[in-house]
Amino acid sequence: MYKFLIKKVLDFLCAFIGAIILLPLFIILGIIIFIDDPGPIFFKQKRIGKNKKVFWLHKFRSMKVKTPDIPTHLLENPEQYITRVGKFIRKTSLDELPQIYDILLGKMSIIGPRPALWNQEDLIVERDKYGANNVKPGLTGWAQINGRDELEIPVKAKLDGDYVAQLNKGCFCGFVMDCRCFFRTIKSVFKSEGVVEGGTGEMNKKDEETV
């Protein structure tokens, strides 16, 4: 009931209310982004959705117009391509807000595994092991609040699988898990936890350096 009905209704209602409340912020950010680096305000990218169907994910543009069209982690010194405003909205996750409209369109959920890049085959394959590709991707999720960019691919996929397992247990477990993800996301955003530019697996690298 929760997974197939209640969650969809909550996603739409929360995204609809959020879109209305955040509209003034969207307008302000759009103006600042354009002034800082004239060009498109929004950035769209092919991502993997439910059942591995490709969809267009939307973000506020945080990188310069002339940035090569490749994933950030494949750029050499990605910091040089990030705009002044981009540094702030990436650190605070404000660049992710346009995905509210992807939720309204039914492509995403508020809580779920973060959508993999269309060519991120290693993560897609790992998620297949846990059925994490069979649910709608989310604006935030269990892996996001347990390391985000600092996690290596196998760890991230396992955490996504843990989320799906809870979702499949039933209404109560699914709702509680979504609530935990939602409120812990707010805490993580304020602390800018787990944000690493240009790569993943930083948590493991830090451990190795410590040893």
Side-chain angles (χ1 to χ4, degrees):
M1 177 69 76
Y2 178 74
K3 180 179 177 180
F4 296 105
L5 179 61
I6 299 176
K7 185 174 173 69
K8 290 182 180 180
V9 173
L10 287 176
D11 281 340
F12 183 83
L13 289 177
C14 291
F16 183 75
I17 294 171
I20 295 174
I21 294 175
L22 294 171
L23 183 58
L25 178 60
F26 272 53
I27 295 173
I28 293 171
L29 285 176
I31 294 172
I32 295 174
I33 289 169
F34 184 82
I35 292 175
D36 187 34
D37 186 57
I41 294 171
F42 298 105
F43 168 76
K44 66 178 185 178
Q45 188 176 53
K46 285 193 293 184
R47 296 288 184 114
I48 300 299
K50 183 179 179 180
N51 298 323
K52 293 189 280 191
K53 292 183 178 179
V54 175
F55 75 100
W56 289 102
L57 174 142
H58 296 80
K59 292 186 177 186
F60 279 121
R61 181 171 61 86
S62 60
M63 306 191 84
K64 298 174 183 177
V65 173
K66 296 182 180 181
T67 302
D69 188 20
I70 59 176
T72 305
H73 66 279
L74 296 180
L75 290 171
E76 183 177 347
N77 186 20
E79 289 281 352
Q80 66 179 311
Y81 297 106
I82 301 174
T83 64
R84 289 171 295 178
V85 175
K87 291 179 181 179
F88 172 74
I89 63 175
R90 288 167 80 99
K91 185 176 181 180
T92 57
S93 296
L94 289 173
D95 62 323
E96 308 283 358
L97 289 181
Q99 288 160 50
I100 287 176
Y101 295 100
D102 293 324
I103 295 171
L104 286 173
L105 293 173
K107 303 296 184 181
M108 292 179 60
S109 179
I110 293 175
I111 309 296
R114 281 297 294 164
L117 291 164
W118 63 274
N119 59 352
Q120 204 170 6
E121 295 181 3
D122 50 353
L123 178 57
I124 297 169
V125 170
E126 283 294 320
R127 282 178 170 173
D128 268 336
K129 298 177 182 179
Y130 308 103
N133 291 315
N134 301 328
V135 298
K136 283 184 183 179
L139 182 62
T140 184
W142 189 237
Q144 291 300 103
I145 59 175
N146 283 286
R148 195 172 175 174
D149 297 332
E150 294 183 337
L151 298 174
E152 292 192 324
I153 294 300
V155 178
K156 185 179 293 186
K158 176 62 169 60
L159 287 168
D160 289 332
D162 292 341
Y163 169 78
V164 174
Q166 289 297 312
L167 195 63
N168 290 334
K169 284 184 178 180
C171 188
F172 179 76
C173 291
F175 179 71
V176 170
M177 181 58 126
D178 278 355
C179 286
R180 290 178 67 187
C181 291
F182 181 81
F183 289 111
R184 282 186 57 183
T185 293
I186 296 174
K187 176 184 175 183
S188 296
V189 168
F190 275 112
K191 290 186 174 182
S192 298
E193 293 177 341
V195 179
V196 178
E197 295 296 350
T200 60
E202 291 298 317
M203 186 177 291
N204 188 58
K205 292 177 186 176
K206 289 176 184 176
D207 291 341
E208 290 177 354
E209 290 172 359
T210 302
V211 174

